[in-house]
């Protein structure tokens, strides 16, 4: 038989042979597969660094990796594809961090992103900062410039990735040897969920992704959870005093213990208010669920339920506040405006949070689920009779609030944002997920959007990252196949992440995005007008949203008058794909409790000289014959 030989044929044959050899070395041998079957969760085999990353992500149960490939991580992305690790390409690394965040909030598991060094890292920092301040478990897999003997100076993207990440992460793990990869990633996952959750990062030089090593890496031992028995006993003693009325303030730490939280509330006959992040930890429809906050900045129902009646001090009011899994952060307390009752019990898994923003009589360093569970075993000591007066008071306050929502007058030129919030509640299923953004309307939604199930309402609370809601909603939609996911975003925030709608179109993620269009940063206008009698840098250019939706490939709708809200929302929800809904918005003279209360508290803290300066400036501009320009 004649064999045709050519130089091209030899090169092709050599390439195939080399590829087969590399594949055989990088794929688990039959004995390795048997060892993996007998040792679930282990990373075993002769693998490249990239393969070890992919295997470890699979072993940690990663549902999706969000990010953008780059030169330093192409090897890793190829292995993600080869090993069926689900991934999603995004348009910006900020969005990758927000998507991982939204995925984590929706599922209660850890979100994962993968970014290149340099601009990939710096773009992701804002989203990671939101996850840090909001206590959300996220793991960032970060590429780095090359290291070792062959490393050269002045490499592209050679910023100090580790130092950049430290301020926005609970922990950063820098890998120096390929064999460290599985353990570093496992430590990052454990740290992200251990204690108070938060983001972590693993930084891997790109040359380690192509190096090979023999791996036999077991899962980490489970981390223990804290529980202060002595402080728990003190808390039980205080809660057991039937002369003292109890109120519960629940945060995100209670989100996965809704049943226990509700049972504790019933045991103590205590109204339950939540932080913004804690909305859903108890159903707003429960007789003791009173909404978010409990001061003048938050839910009016909660303020009424927690306040002491002057005429009947023995029948209402709170003597003991049981704060569980909550930090008393600035936004959720309306600039630290939550009233302090006579006694405070503060329970948190992070000892550094205890009594820090609000002084506490009893600080219990404990896992929230364990604390609530043990509290329920003390039923004989804590159980109180049904408080009919309190329940009637809450019921009436809720009825009054619902009546206000039904009687919102039509806006002069568009839609009142509170009417949109009320209509979204009517039009979205009870298990739908609503993501709000950094708009004045976030406070309207926090107070008036009724939440009945855990992990269905989300807000970027403590970093207030504008544009967060669209990518976060897309991250949640990846995990919530078949459920309705919606985002309510202002037109200013929309400008920061709108291109991710192209991701929704490409991936077929049926998120419903409602953009409140008033051509302005209205939030800033509300703050500026009261203080300066004019606005500065708040007016936005007008956008052709229909053309934008067509350009990125999503469906488009408009709601221009209040009477069309219900039909418009119903149409968007019924559409099988992603939808952009422009809601022409007219804030009119709509008052927002949070803004009014925070403004009052801030004014009270000004020095006399500062107050005089503000007053003189406002007076001068009020009396000036020349009108002040707003823009």
């Amino acid at each position: 038989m004649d064999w045709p030989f050519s130089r091209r044929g030899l090169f092709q044959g050599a390439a195939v042979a080399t590829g087969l050899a590399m594949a055989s070395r990088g794929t688990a041998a039959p004995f390795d597969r048997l060892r993996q079957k007998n040792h679930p969760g282990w990373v075993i085999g002769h693998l490249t660094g990239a393969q070890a990353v992919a295997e470890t992500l699979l072993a940690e149960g990663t549902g999706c990796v969000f990010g953008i490939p780059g030169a330093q991580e192409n090897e890793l992305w190829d292995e993600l594809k080869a090993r069926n690790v689900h991934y999603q390409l995004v348009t910006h690394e900020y969005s990758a961090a927000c998507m991982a965040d939204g995925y984590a909030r929706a599922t209660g598991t850890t979100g994962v992103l993968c970014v290149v060094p340099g601009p990939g890292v710096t773009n992701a920092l804002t989203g990671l900062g939101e996850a840090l301040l909001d206590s959300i478990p996220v793991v960032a897999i970060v590429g780095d410039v090359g290291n070792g003997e062959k490393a050269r100076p002045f490499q592209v993207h050679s910023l100090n990735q580790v130092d950049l990440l430290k301020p926005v992460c609970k922990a950063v793990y820098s890998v120096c040897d390929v064999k460290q990869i599985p353990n570093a990633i496992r430590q990052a996952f454990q740290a992200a969920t251990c204690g108070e959750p938060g983001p972590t990062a693993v930084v891997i030089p790109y040359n380690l992704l192509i190096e090979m090593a023999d791996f036999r890496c077991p899962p980490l031992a489970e981390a223990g959870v804290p529980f202060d028995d002595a402080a728990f006993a003190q808390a039980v003693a205080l809660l057991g005093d039937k002369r003292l009325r109890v109120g519960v303030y629940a945060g995100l730490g209670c989100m996965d213990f809704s049943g226990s939280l509700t049972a504790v509330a019933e045991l103590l006959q205590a109204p339950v208010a939540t932080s913004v992040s804690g909305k859903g930890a108890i159903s707003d429809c429960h007789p003791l669920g009173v909404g978010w906050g409990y001061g003048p900045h938050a839910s009016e129902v909660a303020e009424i339920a927690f306040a002491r009646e002057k005429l009947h001090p023995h029948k209402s009011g709170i003597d003991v506040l049981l704060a569980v899994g909550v930090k008393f952060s600035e936004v959720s307390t309306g600039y630290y405006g939550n009233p302090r009752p006579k006694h405070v019990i503060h329970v948190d898994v992070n000892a550094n949070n205890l009594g820090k923003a609000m002084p506490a009589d009893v600080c219990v360093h404990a896992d929230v689920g364990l604390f609530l569970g043990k509290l329920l075993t003390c039923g004989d000591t804590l159980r109180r009779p049904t408080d009919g007066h309190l329940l009637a008071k809450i019921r009436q306050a809720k009825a009054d609030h619902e009546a206000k929502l039904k009687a919102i007058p039509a806006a002069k030129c568009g839609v009142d944002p509170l009417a949109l919030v009320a209509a979204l509640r009517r039009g979205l299923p009870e298990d739908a997920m609503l993501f709000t953004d950094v708009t004045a309307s976030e406070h309207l939604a926090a107070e008036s959007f009724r939440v009945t199930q855990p992990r269905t309402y989300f807000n970027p609370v403590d970093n207030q990252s504008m544009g967060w809601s669209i990518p976060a909603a897309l991250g949640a939609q990846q995990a919530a196949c078949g459920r309705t996911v919606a985002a309510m975003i202002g037109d200013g925030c929309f400008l920061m992440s709108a291109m991710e709608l192209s991701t929704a179109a490409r991936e077929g993620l049926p998120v419903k995005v409602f953009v409140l269009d008033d051509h302005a940063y209205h939030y800033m206008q509300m703050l500026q007008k009261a203080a300066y009698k004019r606005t500065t840098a708040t007016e936005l250019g007008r956008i052709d949203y229909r053309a934008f939706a067509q350009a990125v490939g999503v469906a488009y709708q408009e709601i221009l008058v209040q009477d069309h809200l219900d039909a418009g929302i119903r149409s968007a929800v019924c559409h099988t794909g992603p939808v952009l809904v422009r809601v022409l918005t007219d804030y009119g003279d709509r008052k927002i409790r949070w803004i009014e209360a925070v403004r009052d508290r801030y004014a009270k803290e000004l020095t006399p000289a500062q107050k005089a300066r503000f007053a003189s400036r406002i007076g001068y501009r009020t009396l000036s014959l020349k009108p002040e320009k707003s823009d």
Side-chain angles (χ1 to χ4, degrees):
M1 179 179 291
D2 294 329
W3 295 92
F5 285 97
S6 68
R7 186 167 60 180
R8 175 177 296 179
L10 287 172
F11 284 148
Q12 289 175 337
V16 170
T18 302
L20 290 172
M22 290 184 68
S24 66
R25 292 178 66 195
T27 303
F31 183 62
D32 287 337
R33 294 194 190 97
L34 179 62
R35 286 193 296 179
Q36 288 172 342
K37 183 177 180 180
N38 294 332
H39 298 83
W42 286 52
V43 174
I44 296 176
H46 191 63
L47 307 170
T48 65
Q51 291 166 344
V53 173
E55 288 292 333
T56 310
L57 291 177
L58 287 172
E60 291 295 323
T62 301
C64 186
V65 177
F66 303 94
I68 302 175
Q72 291 90 348
E73 287 187 338
N74 277 332
E75 183 77 12
L76 173 56
W77 282 81
D78 186 72
E79 286 301 333
L80 295 180
K81 187 172 187 175
R83 293 175 185 257
N84 296 317
V85 181
H86 186 49
Y87 56 83
Q88 180 171 296
L89 173 65
V90 305
T91 67
H92 195 280
E93 288 90 354
Y94 166 65
S95 295
C98 295
M99 287 186 193
D101 180 342
Y103 182 97
R105 296 191 200 218
T107 63
T109 61
T110 303
V112 180
L113 64 148
C114 182
V115 296
V116 296
V121 170
T122 55
N123 286 344
L125 293 180
T126 298
L128 290 172
E130 189 68 62
L132 179 71
L133 297 186
D134 286 1
S135 308
I136 306 301
V138 168
V139 170
I141 305 297
V142 178
D144 201 358
V145 299
N147 72 353
E149 295 180 357
K150 295 182 180 180
R152 295 174 179 173
F154 313 122
Q155 297 179 61
V156 65
H157 301 336
S158 57
L159 297 174
N160 190 322
Q161 323 304 329
V162 173
D163 283 354
L164 284 169
L165 289 160
K166 282 182 178 179
V168 295
C169 290
K170 284 182 65 179
V172 180
Y173 300 90
S174 181
V175 175
C176 300
D177 183 276
V178 65
K179 292 183 179 180
Q180 297 173 344
I181 287 175
N183 198 54
I185 294 174
R186 290 191 192 278
Q187 286 180 311
F189 269 85
Q190 187 174 85
T193 56
C194 185
E196 181 181 354
T200 60
V202 181
V203 180
I204 308 173
Y206 75 86
N207 57 289
L208 298 185
L209 295 175
I210 61 174
E211 288 188 18
M212 300 199 73
D214 289 311
F215 294 92
R216 185 176 172 82
C217 305
L220 300 182
E222 287 191 16
V225 295
F227 194 84
D228 186 334
D229 289 292
F232 176 77
Q234 289 180 299
V236 170
L238 190 54
L239 294 171
D241 187 342
K242 304 300 195 303
R243 297 169 300 176
L244 303 175
R245 297 195 54 80
V246 180
V248 177
Y249 183 43
L252 179 62
C254 297
M255 192 59 67
D256 293 324
F257 310 106
S258 180
S260 298
L261 176 66
T262 302
V264 165
E266 293 168 349
L267 188 69
L268 296 170
Q269 285 297 287
V272 181
T274 73
S275 65
V276 179
S277 297
K279 278 179 67 69
I282 186 171
S283 170
D284 286 336
C285 290
H286 189 278
L288 292 168
V290 297
W292 86 280
Y294 59 87
H297 61 284
S299 165
E300 189 174 7
V301 175
E303 186 181 23
I304 291 171
F306 275 61
R308 182 178 297 279
E309 292 180 359
K310 293 181 180 179
L311 296 178
H312 304 284
H314 62 289
K315 287 190 175 181
S316 189
I318 300 304
D319 302 300
V320 181
L321 179 68
L322 175 60
V324 188
V326 66
K327 293 186 287 192
F328 294 94
S329 66
E330 178 181 352
V331 173
S332 278
T333 60
Y335 191 50
Y336 312 104
N338 277 5
R340 188 188 188 281
K342 185 178 180 180
H343 302 288
V344 174
I345 301 169
H346 194 179
V347 184
D348 201 84
V349 72
N350 185 349
N352 293 327
N353 294 338
L354 296 171
K356 200 165 188 177
M358 177 174 285
D361 301 271
V362 180
C363 293
V364 186
H365 182 209
D367 175 80
V368 167
L370 191 55
F371 175 86
L372 293 173
K374 289 203 172 188
L375 211 57
L376 290 173
T377 66
C378 303
D380 293 340
T381 301
L382 303 179
R383 185 172 290 106
R384 300 172 184 224
T386 300
D387 189 335
H389 178 78
L390 172 65
L391 296 176
K393 186 178 182 180
I394 295 172
R395 187 165 56 248
Q396 184 60 53
K398 288 181 177 180
D400 292 344
H401 186 70
E402 286 298 317
K404 290 178 183 178
L405 293 180
K406 292 178 181 177
I408 300 171
K412 292 181 181 179
C413 185
V415 174
D416 185 313
L418 184 58
L420 171 62
V421 170
L424 284 171
R425 181 61 288 172
R426 293 192 299 270
L428 295 176
E430 289 295 318
D431 70 342
M433 298 183 185
L434 177 65
F435 288 77
T436 62
D437 217 296
V438 186
T439 72
S441 295
E442 68 178 305
H443 304 300
L444 296 175
E447 180 175 7
S448 298
F449 188 83
R450 188 187 70 251
V451 179
T452 60
Q453 298 180 25
R455 300 193 182 278
T456 56
Y457 181 88
F458 311 93
N459 189 218
V461 179
D462 288 326
N463 204 36
Q464 290 282 284
S465 304
M466 295 175 66
W468 174 89
S469 66
I470 291 177
L474 293 177
Q477 189 75 82
Q478 273 284 5
C481 183
R483 287 174 63 183
T484 300
V485 178
M488 186 181 80
I489 186 169
D491 47 1
C493 294
F494 180 80
L495 294 173
M496 300 200 175
S497 59
M499 289 310 300
E500 289 305 339
L501 286 178
S502 68
T503 303
R506 184 189 70 240
E507 298 292 326
L509 299 171
V511 170
K512 321 304 177 187
V513 176
F514 296 85
V515 56
L516 288 75
D517 181 21
D518 69 337
H519 325 305
Y521 288 123
H522 186 77
Y523 201 157
M524 289 304 100
Q525 289 184 337
M526 294 185 76
L527 298 177
Q528 289 179 6
K529 282 181 180 178
Y532 307 106
K533 287 298 178 181
R534 66 184 183 187
T535 63
T536 303
T538 61
E539 292 185 5
L540 302 173
R542 305 214 171 191
I543 296 174
D544 187 337
Y545 289 95
R546 184 185 301 276
F548 177 84
Q550 183 178 10
V552 298
V554 301
Y556 179 72
Q557 293 179 204
E558 286 186 335
I559 300 175
L560 304 180
V561 295
Q562 221 152 281
D563 289 344
H564 295 172
L565 273 171
D566 289 326
I569 292 171
R570 184 166 55 250
S571 175
V573 170
C574 290
H575 184 74
T576 57
V579 184
L580 173 61
V581 183
R582 175 195 174 220
V583 182
L584 182 62
T585 304
D586 180 6
Y587 281 88
D589 59 356
R590 165 63 57 196
K591 299 293 184 183
I592 297 176
R593 281 171 57 86
W594 191 93
I595 292 177
E596 297 296 315
V598 169
R599 183 185 292 126
D600 289 345
R601 281 189 57 78
Y602 180 77
K604 288 177 182 178
E605 293 192 4
L606 294 175
T607 66
Q610 291 168 336
K611 289 179 181 179
R613 187 163 61 250
F614 269 90
S616 63
R617 180 169 55 198
I618 290 172
Y620 172 79
R621 290 176 180 173
T622 301
L623 297 174
S624 176
L625 296 177
K626 182 180 179 181
E628 290 291 344
K629 181 182 178 182
S630 293
D631 63 2

